[in-house]
Amino acid sequence: YSIFVTPSTLKEYQQAYPQQAEKMGLIYNGFDEEDFEGIKYKNHGQGLRLIFNGTLYPKALLACSLLFKCLSHFIEKHPETPKVEIIFQGWSYPEAKQELIALAKSYSLEDLLYFEPYLAHKESLQSLAKADASLLFLGFDRDLKSWIPGKSYE
């Protein structure tokens, strides 16, 4: 049996594997209020903190390059910009992490990158609550057309 969280992904797999279509179902990914009980939302008050929380896939690097290009341009035009932190929290494919660092260097942003390990779900939510923005990188790839990251629900 296979469970999918979006109708488009379910349909895609049913079409690809029609002999197994009866063994496929849909359960929507969603929001659980209890996950957010006790989370304290507060500004850390020290510049701009951007967090990507989850797995960094190689296909997301183009989206990362767009962020770096914009951020580099903004900092160049506004040198008074307070400290910026770009935190990648979770797991990264080793080749994606190395390419990301090289990409950041090409925009002189490598000092803004921080890598942290996975956190327990509650700790992860607390960390996100202290960020100024949560980053959600999607790859620009036909294979990802029906993919919705779980972080989009948090």
Side-chain angles (χ1 to χ4, degrees):
Y1 289 95
S2 299
I3 302 296
F4 299 92
V5 297
T6 64
S8 59
T9 306
L10 173 62
K11 182 179 177 183
E12 180 181 330
Y13 277 82
Q14 286 174 329
Q15 289 173 349
Y17 305 99
Q19 70 281 11
Q20 300 295 322
E22 292 179 13
K23 294 182 179 180
M24 297 180 190
L26 177 68
I27 298 176
Y28 287 98
N29 202 346
F31 172 81
D32 186 350
E33 269 187 58
E34 290 179 14
D35 287 349
F36 295 86
E37 289 177 4
I39 298 292
K40 295 179 178 25
Y41 298 88
K42 63 180 180 178
N43 187 313
H44 55 89
Q46 299 174 2
L48 179 64
R49 180 179 289 168
L50 309 172
I51 294 182
F52 174 84
N53 186 294
T55 301
L56 179 63
Y57 293 95
K59 290 183 178 185
L61 291 175
L62 178 57
C64 294
S65 72
L66 296 173
L67 171 70
F68 291 169
K69 182 177 182 177
C70 292
L71 195 54
S72 175
H73 180 74
F74 183 83
I75 291 171
E76 181 181 316
K77 297 291 182 192
H78 304 279
E80 75 285 357
T81 300
K83 181 180 179 184
V84 176
E85 297 175 324
I86 307 170
I87 301 167
F88 289 86
Q89 197 171 66
W91 191 80
S92 300
Y93 282 85
E95 65 274 17
K97 183 176 179 180
Q98 294 309 314
E99 286 182 48
L100 183 71
I101 292 169
L103 189 61
K105 283 182 181 178
S106 73
Y107 289 103
S108 301
L109 298 176
E110 68 273 15
D111 292 340
L112 308 183
L113 295 185
Y114 298 89
F115 293 91
E116 298 178 354
Y118 263 126
L119 296 174
H121 185 65
K122 194 76 162 185
E123 292 174 58
S124 170
L125 292 175
Q126 186 61 62
S127 180
L128 286 169
K130 293 179 182 175
D132 295 295
S134 175
L135 300 172
L136 183 62
F137 295 119
L138 298 176
F140 297 98
D141 188 301
R142 174 170 275 163
D143 295 338
L144 300 175
K145 67 182 177 189
S146 61
W147 180 59
I148 299 176
K151 293 299 168 198
S152 62
Y153 296 94
E154 296 171 350

